[in-house]
Amino acid sequence: MTRRPNPPLARHHAAVPSPPGFQTLISNGAHMNISNLKIGTRLAFGFAIVLLLLISVATVAITRIQSINEDTASMLDDRYVKVMLTKSILDEVNVQARFLRNATIGANDPAEVSASLAKLEESVQKNSKMLNQLKAMINSETGQRAFAAMIDARAGYGQARDIAVKLL
């Protein structure tokens, strides 16, 4: 069996005329040669690609900024408030220690002792209110464990404080 040579390829397909500015080659399908496009068309394609890149960069930037905004809001509206409330509780415990110290130093003056113990009781009540506020704000397992540890430490301090008050 003899093999017949392939017929030469035609420059243009007869059934589908080529649009202006395109060079059509019939080898493995139709191919477009960009260098044959008009300059306006090439500029439009380049500008479209630049716009697509700009839109994608802007989209990524906006989503990242929103993520940063959410993290910042979480820090300011949730965590910072808890930290400042905890600091206020600690400050109030220090105030209680000072009132107890003043009552101990002024043990010879009953007016000083009663005034210091009254202020101490006010401070204890203030601390209890702040602890209730903090307990309502806790929304994580780790926070609940830390709060429970703080309450246990407070109970020990409260017992020692009450013993010292009874001795006055």
Side-chain angles (χ1 to χ4, degrees):
M1 188 174 216
T2 57
R3 229 171 152 201
R4 277 191 282 168
N6 289 334
L9 296 175
R11 280 263 187 239
H12 296 286
H13 195 277
V16 179
S18 297
F22 286 88
Q23 177 182 3
T24 307
L25 302 173
I26 316 275
S27 57
N28 287 336
H31 293 287
M32 173 176 59
N33 191 352
I34 292 178
S35 63
N36 289 339
L37 293 177
K38 292 181 182 177
I39 188 72
T41 308
R42 284 189 274 176
L43 285 173
F45 280 142
F47 187 67
I49 290 171
V50 169
L51 281 178
L52 288 175
L53 290 172
L54 178 67
I55 289 170
S56 65
V57 167
T59 303
V60 168
I62 288 171
T63 56
R64 298 296 170 115
I65 288 173
Q66 287 173 342
S67 173
I68 291 170
N69 190 24
E70 290 169 3
D71 291 344
T72 304
S74 171
M75 283 189 293
L76 289 176
D77 298 337
D78 184 46
R79 295 178 186 147
Y80 182 73
V81 173
K82 291 176 189 173
V83 167
M84 292 309 295
L85 190 56
T86 304
K87 183 186 176 308
S88 296
I89 291 168
L90 177 63
D91 290 344
E92 206 60 38
V93 168
N94 289 331
V95 167
Q96 292 172 20
R98 276 181 274 179
F99 288 140
L100 191 57
R101 179 205 61 199
N102 292 345
T104 304
I105 291 173
N108 294 334
D109 183 11
E112 175 66 31
V113 171
S114 65
S116 292
L117 292 180
K119 291 177 184 177
L120 174 67
E121 186 57 35
E122 287 176 23
S123 178
V124 169
Q125 296 301 321
K126 185 177 178 182
N127 234 4
S128 294
K129 288 179 184 177
M130 287 189 289
L131 282 168
N132 289 334
Q133 287 176 342
L134 182 62
K135 184 178 181 180
M137 292 178 178
I138 296 174
N139 52 15
S140 71
E141 185 68 30
T142 305
Q144 290 173 354
R145 284 194 302 269
F147 185 77
M150 186 170 61
I151 293 298
D152 291 342
R154 181 179 190 241
Y157 175 75
Q159 290 172 352
R161 182 192 62 227
D162 292 343
I163 291 171
V165 167
K166 286 180 185 176
L167 293 175
L168 293 175

